[in-house]
Amino acid sequence: YFKDDDGRRPEFPNFFLPLPREFGGGGEGPGRQHRAVCSVLISESGEGFDPLFPLHDTLLHDEASCTILSPICCALGLPPGYVPARLLQMKFDRAAAADGTFPDFEGSVCPILDRLSVRDSAKLAEWTSSHYAPGSDDRLLSLEVAHDLATRCGAELEQSSARGD
């Protein structure tokens, strides 16, 4: 369409400007910080922009919707495991409020960890460990996995900084 006049082409990078600071972005300009739009964990403070927040009620009341809604992560630029991770966190919160039993680590948490980055997996494993009873098998296993993942994350960070990434 614009073969003859390159000056008429829109500047495509301007379509994707960084989010303003009030939405959790780093602002514009040189040296700005690149930050994730949202965390794998639900923000307790309510600060920042969380594109998954409107899905919380749907996920909590219809757990089958998790499978259907998971592909939305790609459209939002999030890893595919964020929706299941949020549902898992809501299950833990619901169990804590009702003094119920928490989802088991191997059957419920590990499959979700496999769908996340090493950094996010370490955060989620550490977060879940804080909810299990002290000395329980699930707590010890989640702490062991969180430690392993944090070590891997540190090694990857060191490698990327050595390469200059």
Side-chain angles (χ1 to χ4, degrees):
Y1 181 74
F2 293 113
K3 289 181 184 176
D4 298 331
D5 189 10
D6 286 345
R8 291 182 36 207
R9 288 185 184 169
E11 294 184 30
F12 292 107
N14 289 338
F15 291 165
F16 306 100
L17 294 175
L19 290 171
R21 290 192 192 284
E22 61 267 16
F23 291 116
E28 296 184 46
R32 66 183 167 93
Q33 297 274 333
H34 292 282
R35 292 179 25 184
V37 173
C38 71
S39 172
V40 69
L41 299 175
I42 299 169
S43 173
E44 298 296 327
S45 65
E47 293 180 13
F49 175 66
D50 185 355
L52 296 179
F53 182 75
L55 303 177
H56 288 184
D57 286 340
T58 303
L59 290 171
L60 197 56
H61 297 296
D62 183 14
E63 292 181 13
S65 65
C66 180
T67 305
I68 297 166
L69 291 172
S70 286
I72 200 169
C73 289
C74 294
L76 295 172
L78 300 172
Y82 267 45
V83 169
R86 290 296 181 87
L87 176 60
L88 178 70
Q89 187 178 1
M90 288 186 280
K91 286 180 182 179
F92 269 81
D93 290 343
R94 186 173 45 194
D99 291 328
T101 57
F102 295 109
D104 68 301
F105 187 78
E106 283 189 276
S108 298
V109 180
C110 284
I112 294 170
L113 296 179
D114 293 338
R115 299 177 68 187
L116 297 170
S117 69
V118 175
R119 181 174 177 256
D120 289 336
S121 294
K123 279 185 185 179
L124 186 61
E126 188 274 329
W127 183 86
T128 57
S129 71
S130 68
H131 289 76
Y132 292 119
S136 70
D137 290 342
D138 281 330
R139 184 173 195 156
L140 296 175
L141 183 59
S142 63
L143 285 171
E144 181 181 339
V145 169
H147 177 265
D148 291 343
L149 290 166
T151 303
R152 277 183 40 205
C153 184
E156 288 178 6
L157 184 62
E158 287 175 2
Q159 288 174 353
S160 69
S161 67
R163 286 190 309 254
D165 293 346

